[in-house]
Amino acid sequence: MPRSTARIRLAALALLCLPLSLIAGEEPPPDPARAQAPATGPSPPPWHRLHFAADSLAGSVTTTLTLSPATMADVEARTFPESGDTPEAFTASRVLQLQVDGEARTVLTGSTTRASVWFDADSGQVLLRERTSAGSKGSSKIHRFGARGASRLRLEPADSRQALLPSAQWSKRSGKFFPYDMAQAGCNSITVPAQLIYAISRQPELTPYCVFHDGALYRVRPESRGGGKHALSYSLHNAGGQRQVSGSRRLQRIALRIEPLDAKARVEDFELLELRGDITIHVDPEYRIPVMLSGSRSGLGSIIIRLTDASLGHD
């Protein structure tokens, strides 16, 4: 066979082995095996406002959580010279603010509180927490968090007249520093209790958290305890409007296992939305939102707070 004929046949065989797109001069389709997998990780929070309530013969409780975007400028605006230096204070490029407004009424007393938490939207690392209780005997505590501990500034009104002013104008001030060792405790990040509601909504998997509460460090492990059907009734708001969710729904039951991480931590002192003891969270898996929280509360005993209103989506 002449060499020229053999070359023509080899070229024809080579063309038969090529994809049609290359023969037509087109770009080849991407190789599925080489295609980059989509980035995985925690999803955005499915809600931006949750309102809970409970009524009993002993009294009533309402709690509202509101999630909104923030900046480091908001964090720095809440720090004061009296706070002292926070070694290696945490910063973030994307910041979220979680505000918790609570009100409790009993036969003899009543109280209102507001707590705000600013944290890293990506890692969940808490940057600053401020909790204020109103009244002439009220106080405001501001914690600024860093890699080696948290500095706290406590503000109190000098008298009943000053108590009517914003807490930033209260003149009685004292500072304190709470050291912690993240490496020794095995903590990649530090959170505060209210963030657990956000975290459990955002991450389907149950991962342990290092939680700072009242000057002490804890490890909190959410544990799945199965599910069951419960009667619910709450308003659901989203971009499409409002509808009522009611009737019996199957929920995921999550219990919090709390472990002390330092000598100051006592399990019985840990609180989530002012609930103590055996704290359980029930989640509606369809919307990934907590709909029931149970535990014990001072002055009210064992209590279940139930979701009454939820706004879905995130700002």
Side-chain angles (χ1 to χ4, degrees):
M1 180 186 299
R3 289 185 179 180
S4 59
T5 304
R7 288 181 184 145
I8 292 172
R9 289 184 177 180
L10 287 173
L13 287 172
L15 284 172
L16 290 174
C17 295
L18 290 175
L20 293 176
S21 58
L22 285 181
I23 297 173
E26 301 171 356
E27 289 290 331
D31 182 358
R34 293 174 176 254
Q36 186 176 0
T40 59
S43 59
W47 54 268
H48 65 83
R49 185 180 179 276
L50 302 174
H51 180 77
F52 296 89
D55 288 292
S56 69
L57 294 175
S60 63
V61 173
T62 60
T63 304
T64 303
L65 292 84
T66 307
L67 191 65
S68 58
T71 65
M72 280 304 301
D74 299 319
V75 174
E76 299 303 331
R78 302 306 304 154
T79 57
F80 299 87
E82 295 90 345
S83 302
D85 182 45
T86 303
E88 301 175 48
F90 293 117
T91 61
S93 57
R94 292 200 314 125
V95 180
L96 287 176
Q97 178 186 355
L98 177 60
Q99 181 173 298
V100 182
D101 292 293
E103 182 175 3
R105 301 290 174 195
T106 65
V107 176
L108 299 175
T109 63
S111 64
T112 59
T113 58
R114 167 168 288 182
S116 291
V117 183
W118 290 264
F119 60 96
D120 187 323
D122 298 311
S123 69
Q125 171 62 59
V126 61
L127 308 171
L128 185 139
R129 177 184 183 267
E130 179 179 17
R131 185 181 186 276
T132 302
S133 56
S136 58
K137 296 183 179 180
S139 66
S140 182
K141 296 178 182 179
I142 302 172
H143 290 81
R144 182 71 170 95
F145 292 85
R148 290 188 281 150
S151 60
R152 186 199 72 188
L153 175 65
R154 181 185 178 96
L155 301 91
E156 296 175 290
D159 50 41
S160 57
R161 183 180 301 177
Q162 196 176 81
L164 300 175
L165 301 175
S167 60
Q169 298 181 34
W170 293 351
S171 58
K172 292 179 64 177
R173 302 183 177 191
S174 60
K176 190 172 182 179
F177 184 73
F178 299 93
Y180 46 68
D181 189 327
M182 294 179 64
Q184 182 178 355
C187 301
N188 294 322
S189 62
I190 304 291
T191 64
V192 295
Q195 286 178 260
L196 293 171
I197 303 297
Y198 165 84
I200 288 173
S201 299
R202 190 184 184 211
Q203 301 193 68
E205 68 274 12
L206 301 177
T207 57
Y209 300 92
C210 291
V211 183
F212 181 92
H213 171 66
D214 202 18
L217 200 60
Y218 300 81
R219 178 170 285 111
V220 178
R221 301 179 186 272
E223 297 181 341
S224 178
R225 298 292 173 84
K229 288 191 174 183
H230 296 265
L232 298 176
S233 179
Y234 62 89
S235 298
L236 194 68
H237 307 262
N238 56 25
Q242 175 185 345
R243 74 182 187 89
Q244 192 70 19
V245 178
S246 58
S248 180
R249 294 176 66 84
R250 183 168 295 279
L251 306 178
Q252 180 187 9
R253 181 170 178 258
I254 299 172
L256 301 185
R257 182 152 64 93
I258 302 157
E259 305 166 0
L261 284 179
D262 61 37
K264 296 171 291 185
R266 301 196 312 165
V267 172
E268 59 268 27
D269 291 339
F270 185 86
E271 290 186 355
L272 170 62
L273 304 185
E274 301 197 38
L275 298 175
R276 296 190 179 194
D278 296 327
I279 302 173
T280 301
I281 303 171
H282 285 82
V283 176
D284 188 332
E286 181 178 354
Y287 303 110
R288 291 196 300 119
I289 54 176
V291 293
M292 292 167 47
L293 288 89
S294 61
S296 297
R297 179 160 177 152
S298 177
L300 295 173
S302 296
I303 192 171
I304 299 175
I305 61 173
R306 302 174 186 273
L307 185 70
T308 62
D309 195 271
S311 296
L312 301 187
H314 56 286
D315 295 335

